[in-house]
PDB file of all heavy atoms in Angstrom:
ATOM      1  N   ILE A 126      12.001  -5.644   0.173  1.00 98.00           N
ATOM      2  CA  ILE A 126      12.196  -5.677  -1.279  1.00 98.00           C
ATOM      3  C   ILE A 126      13.459  -6.464  -1.620  1.00 98.00           C
ATOM      4  O   ILE A 126      14.525  -6.199  -1.090  1.00 98.00           O
ATOM      5  CB  ILE A 126      12.294  -4.242  -1.843  1.00 98.00           C
ATOM      6  CG1 ILE A 126      11.037  -3.433  -1.483  1.00 98.00           C
ATOM      7  CG2 ILE A 126      12.561  -4.252  -3.331  1.00 98.00           C
ATOM      8  CD1 ILE A 126       9.724  -4.026  -1.971  1.00 98.00           C
ATOM      9  N   ASP A 127      13.295  -7.446  -2.533  1.00 98.00           N
ATOM     10  CA  ASP A 127      14.446  -8.249  -2.944  1.00 98.00           C
ATOM     11  C   ASP A 127      14.797  -8.091  -4.424  1.00 98.00           C
ATOM     12  O   ASP A 127      15.809  -8.606  -4.879  1.00 98.00           O
ATOM     13  CB  ASP A 127      14.241  -9.727  -2.600  1.00 98.00           C
ATOM     14  CG  ASP A 127      12.985 -10.312  -3.210  1.00 98.00           C
ATOM     15  OD1 ASP A 127      12.482  -9.762  -4.216  1.00 98.00           O
ATOM     16  OD2 ASP A 127      12.499 -11.322  -2.683  1.00 98.00           O
ATOM     17  N   LEU A 128      13.948  -7.362  -5.180  1.00 98.00           N
ATOM     18  CA  LEU A 128      14.233  -7.138  -6.590  1.00 98.00           C
ATOM     19  C   LEU A 128      13.616  -5.815  -7.024  1.00 98.00           C
ATOM     20  O   LEU A 128      12.456  -5.529  -6.701  1.00 98.00           O
ATOM     21  CB  LEU A 128      13.665  -8.282  -7.446  1.00 98.00           C
ATOM     22  CG  LEU A 128      13.937  -8.209  -8.950  1.00 98.00           C
ATOM     23  CD1 LEU A 128      15.434  -8.321  -9.247  1.00 98.00           C
ATOM     24  CD2 LEU A 128      13.163  -9.304  -9.682  1.00 98.00           C
ATOM     25  N   VAL A 129      14.400  -5.029  -7.737  1.00 98.00           N
ATOM     26  CA  VAL A 129      13.945  -3.751  -8.298  1.00 98.00           C
ATOM     27  C   VAL A 129      14.144  -3.836  -9.799  1.00 98.00           C
ATOM     28  O   VAL A 129      15.200  -4.267 -10.271  1.00 98.00           O
ATOM     29  CB  VAL A 129      14.761  -2.574  -7.716  1.00 98.00           C
ATOM     30  CG1 VAL A 129      14.342  -1.254  -8.353  1.00 98.00           C
ATOM     31  CG2 VAL A 129      14.631  -2.523  -6.196  1.00 98.00           C
ATOM     32  N   GLN A 130      13.117  -3.436 -10.554  1.00 98.00           N
ATOM     33  CA  GLN A 130      13.214  -3.451 -12.015  1.00 98.00           C
ATOM     34  C   GLN A 130      12.846  -2.082 -12.561  1.00 98.00           C
ATOM     35  O   GLN A 130      11.846  -1.491 -12.136  1.00 98.00           O
ATOM     36  CB  GLN A 130      12.274  -4.498 -12.602  1.00 98.00           C
ATOM     37  CG  GLN A 130      12.304  -4.528 -14.119  1.00 98.00           C
ATOM     38  CD  GLN A 130      11.183  -5.352 -14.723  1.00 98.00           C
ATOM     39  OE1 GLN A 130      10.167  -5.588 -14.091  1.00 98.00           O
ATOM     40  NE2 GLN A 130      11.374  -5.783 -15.953  1.00 98.00           N
ATOM     41  N   THR A 131      13.630  -1.593 -13.486  1.00 98.00           N
ATOM     42  CA  THR A 131      13.264  -0.389 -14.229  1.00 98.00           C
ATOM     43  C   THR A 131      13.075  -0.782 -15.690  1.00 98.00           C
ATOM     44  O   THR A 131      13.722  -1.701 -16.188  1.00 98.00           O
ATOM     45  CB  THR A 131      14.347   0.703 -14.130  1.00 98.00           C
ATOM     46  OG1 THR A 131      15.578   0.186 -14.615  1.00 98.00           O
ATOM     47  CG2 THR A 131      14.508   1.186 -12.697  1.00 98.00           C
ATOM     48  N   SER A 132      12.151  -0.109 -16.345  1.00 97.00           N
ATOM     49  CA  SER A 132      11.951  -0.321 -17.775  1.00 97.00           C
ATOM     50  C   SER A 132      11.569   1.007 -18.414  1.00 97.00           C
ATOM     51  O   SER A 132      11.309   1.993 -17.725  1.00 97.00           O
ATOM     52  CB  SER A 132      10.908  -1.416 -18.036  1.00 97.00           C
ATOM     53  OG  SER A 132       9.689  -1.118 -17.411  1.00 97.00           O
ATOM     54  N   CYS A 133      11.494   1.031 -19.725  1.00 94.00           N
ATOM     55  CA  CYS A 133      11.441   2.283 -20.485  1.00 94.00           C
ATOM     56  C   CYS A 133      10.204   3.140 -20.226  1.00 94.00           C
ATOM     57  O   CYS A 133      10.308   4.339 -20.083  1.00 94.00           O
ATOM     58  CB  CYS A 133      11.582   1.995 -21.965  1.00 94.00           C
ATOM     59  SG  CYS A 133      10.178   1.096 -22.668  1.00 94.00           S
ATOM     60  N   GLY A 134       9.032   2.576 -20.226  1.00 94.00           N
ATOM     61  CA  GLY A 134       7.826   3.379 -20.062  1.00 94.00           C
ATOM     62  C   GLY A 134       7.466   4.219 -21.265  1.00 94.00           C
ATOM     63  O   GLY A 134       6.705   5.184 -21.161  1.00 94.00           O
ATOM     64  N   PHE A 135       7.995   3.863 -22.438  1.00 95.00           N
ATOM     65  CA  PHE A 135       7.733   4.653 -23.644  1.00 95.00           C
ATOM     66  C   PHE A 135       6.250   4.721 -23.984  1.00 95.00           C
ATOM     67  O   PHE A 135       5.792   5.681 -24.587  1.00 95.00           O
ATOM     68  CB  PHE A 135       8.496   4.086 -24.840  1.00 95.00           C
ATOM     69  CG  PHE A 135       9.996   4.209 -24.748  1.00 95.00           C
ATOM     70  CD1 PHE A 135      10.795   3.494 -25.613  1.00 95.00           C
ATOM     71  CD2 PHE A 135      10.607   5.038 -23.820  1.00 95.00           C
ATOM     72  CE1 PHE A 135      12.179   3.597 -25.559  1.00 95.00           C
ATOM     73  CE2 PHE A 135      11.987   5.148 -23.744  1.00 95.00           C
ATOM     74  CZ  PHE A 135      12.771   4.421 -24.624  1.00 95.00           C
ATOM     75  N   GLY A 136       5.480   3.718 -23.614  1.00 94.00           N
ATOM     76  CA  GLY A 136       4.062   3.686 -23.951  1.00 94.00           C
ATOM     77  C   GLY A 136       3.152   4.338 -22.925  1.00 94.00           C
ATOM     78  O   GLY A 136       1.939   4.395 -23.112  1.00 94.00           O
ATOM     79  N   VAL A 137       3.726   4.858 -21.818  1.00 95.00           N
ATOM     80  CA  VAL A 137       2.914   5.504 -20.782  1.00 95.00           C
ATOM     81  C   VAL A 137       2.625   6.934 -21.218  1.00 95.00           C
ATOM     82  O   VAL A 137       3.552   7.696 -21.510  1.00 95.00           O
ATOM     83  CB  VAL A 137       3.648   5.487 -19.419  1.00 95.00           C
ATOM     84  CG1 VAL A 137       2.851   6.239 -18.369  1.00 95.00           C
ATOM     85  CG2 VAL A 137       3.920   4.056 -18.973  1.00 95.00           C
ATOM     86  N   PRO A 138       1.353   7.327 -21.272  1.00 95.00           N
ATOM     87  CA  PRO A 138       1.022   8.673 -21.733  1.00 95.00           C
ATOM     88  C   PRO A 138       1.435   9.752 -20.737  1.00 95.00           C
ATOM     89  O   PRO A 138       1.670   9.471 -19.562  1.00 95.00           O
ATOM     90  CB  PRO A 138      -0.509   8.634 -21.882  1.00 95.00           C
ATOM     91  CG  PRO A 138      -0.947   7.559 -20.966  1.00 95.00           C
ATOM     92  CD  PRO A 138       0.161   6.553 -20.922  1.00 95.00           C
ATOM     93  N   LEU A 139       1.514  10.979 -21.208  1.00 95.00           N
ATOM     94  CA  LEU A 139       1.788  12.130 -20.355  1.00 95.00           C
ATOM     95  C   LEU A 139       0.479  12.637 -19.751  1.00 95.00           C
ATOM     96  O   LEU A 139      -0.550  12.710 -20.430  1.00 95.00           O
ATOM     97  CB  LEU A 139       2.449  13.245 -21.173  1.00 95.00           C
ATOM     98  CG  LEU A 139       3.840  12.937 -21.702  1.00 95.00           C
ATOM     99  CD1 LEU A 139       4.278  14.004 -22.705  1.00 95.00           C
ATOM    100  CD2 LEU A 139       4.836  12.848 -20.558  1.00 95.00           C
TER     101      LEU A 139
END
Side-chain angles (χ1 to χ4, degrees):
I126 303 302
D127 57 22
L128 182 64
V129 177
Q130 178 192 21
T131 58
S132 56
C133 67
F135 293 166
V137 176
L139 294 169

